[in-house]
Amino acid sequence: MNTFFLEIQHFSPILLDPARIPLAMAAILLTVAGGLAAGAAGPLAGNANPFFWLAVGQTLGRFGGRLDRVQRMAGDLVFRGFLLTVLGIVLFYVLGGEGAQIAQRFRFGGVTEIVLLALVLTSGAVWAAMLRLYRALKSKKTGRNAYYTIAATTRTDLSGSDDYTITRVGMGMAARAFDKGIVAPVFWYILAGLPGAYIYAGIAALSWRFGKDGFTKGFGRVPLLLERVMGVLPHLLSGFLMALAGLLTPTGGMTRAFAGVFRKKGRAPYDEGGLPVTAMASALHVALGGPTADLDGSAIKRGWAGPEGATAQLEAGHLRRALYISVMAHLLLLAGMGAALFLLS
């Protein structure tokens, strides 16, 4: 029995290390500042997702694009997606492990680890894209430059969409980026270090590239399933923080947000944004989601999220409030991490 407890003590710093909390907080702040600065000139590659997602998309995404042929049988596509996902997980683990070794070798006061973690996060770039769209909607001059980043980030074909649809997609992007681009990778980093964060981020990137919000014919089913397994606990936290942020948002409503999360009708499925999207829609009393098409031309028959009777005709003012509630959710997360650090120290 004593040996068992000694083993637990030996592995606990690897599995859960409170010393990672301040590094994670610094990485979030770095993505806020860096993303806003880069976003002022246009986010990297016109895409506000984490840099690591873009790298996965340019490598495994291109390779998988040759395998994902809709004319093939669903079972064949599932198997191909499984093979690609297994290959990806091995690669993500190696990259995360190598990153951890580099961070240990060249610490620079923790700066190396902060930068490596920031590669799997996103926040400021998302806000910059929303600000660009807000200004365009406000001036009634929505052109390609206004929505290009949102289209690329969400993989949504917005070429024939009206301002209402573009605004809904932009608001949903903010809620989902908070969940998949901040809370979940930070959760896995604190729990399992850089390998945990990189494995989650890689699987989330494959889900983004091939999952089609759950409407995949088969190729994206395995990464969607694995992302849900790894993301379910952070997802609950993201939904809670987004709902709580409604209390701090002008004309928002925390009570409405929590009521919407627990109400079956008007709640977005997990693959379509889930609790964070539902909480944002309920807090702001709007309808988010709705059917669109992705960049591959596939129909994404997304349902509607939000309270009954809420408007889906969203404008610049709604986008500004969505930006505000997203910022508040991030501040609440940082405050919670600070409190956890104080309690664990």
Side-chain angles (χ1 to χ4, degrees), residues 57-337:
Q58 290 297 314
T59 52
L60 294 179
R62 288 191 174 185
F63 177 60
R66 300 189 184 97
L67 301 176
D68 187 12
R69 302 299 184 186
V70 294
Q71 65 269 23
R72 291 187 173 274
M73 298 295 291
D76 184 25
L77 290 174
V78 171
F79 182 68
R80 287 167 171 238
F82 168 77
L83 292 179
L84 182 71
T85 305
V86 171
L87 173 64
I89 290 174
V90 173
L91 178 61
F92 306 148
Y93 175 77
V94 170
L95 289 174
E98 287 298 317
Q101 291 294 324
I102 292 171
Q104 285 294 322
R105 195 174 303 128
F106 307 101
R107 297 185 62 87
F108 299 116
V111 171
T112 304
E113 190 150 353
I114 291 169
V115 172
L116 290 173
L117 177 59
L119 296 178
V120 301
L121 307 180
T122 185
S123 54
V126 173
W127 298 344
M130 294 177 70
L131 282 169
R132 190 179 302 111
L133 178 59
Y134 169 75
R135 295 189 188 104
L137 291 170
K138 193 76 172 175
S139 62
K140 307 295 183 183
K141 295 180 180 178
T142 49
R144 183 178 182 273
N145 291 334
Y147 63 74
Y148 177 78
T149 300
I150 291 174
T153 302
T154 61
R155 291 192 54 80
T156 303
D157 183 1
L158 298 175
S159 57
S161 301
D162 57 20
D163 291 353
Y164 300 141
T165 302
I166 297 171
T167 303
R168 289 196 303 270
V169 172
M171 292 172 66
M173 174 188 70
R176 299 177 74 163
F178 177 63
D179 181 27
K180 311 300 183 189
I182 288 291
V183 177
V186 165
F187 173 89
W188 281 103
Y189 168 71
I190 293 174
L191 186 66
L194 286 175
Y198 272 60
I199 289 172
Y200 171 80
I203 292 173
L206 291 177
S207 298
W208 162 74
R209 176 61 182 84
F210 299 110
K212 299 181 183 292
D213 282 6
F215 294 96
T216 173
K217 184 180 177 182
F219 194 84
R221 288 183 188 173
V222 173
L224 280 174
L225 175 62
L226 292 178
E227 192 284 324
R228 179 178 290 202
V229 170
M230 293 189 72
V232 63
L233 290 180
H235 185 77
L236 293 173
L237 177 59
S238 301
F240 172 78
L241 291 172
M242 191 64 69
L244 191 60
L247 178 66
L248 306 174
T249 303
T251 71
M254 182 183 68
T255 304
R256 287 200 307 262
F258 279 111
V261 166
F262 289 105
R263 185 172 52 241
K264 185 174 182 180
K265 187 176 181 180
R267 187 172 62 191
Y270 181 91
D271 293 333
E272 298 176 25
L275 298 181
V277 170
T278 303
M280 176 182 283
S282 299
L284 302 181
H285 198 71
V286 298
L288 297 178
T292 57
D294 72 0
L295 296 179
D296 297 324
S298 300
I300 308 298
K301 300 177 182 178
R302 196 182 296 109
W304 293 98
E308 189 174 355
T311 182
Q313 297 183 348
L314 308 185
E315 300 173 341
H318 295 104
L319 194 68
R320 181 184 61 197
R321 291 161 63 203
L323 177 59
Y324 196 95
I325 198 173
S326 175
V327 172
M328 290 300 104
H330 281 75
L331 290 177
L332 287 171
L333 174 64
L334 289 170
M337 293 172 68

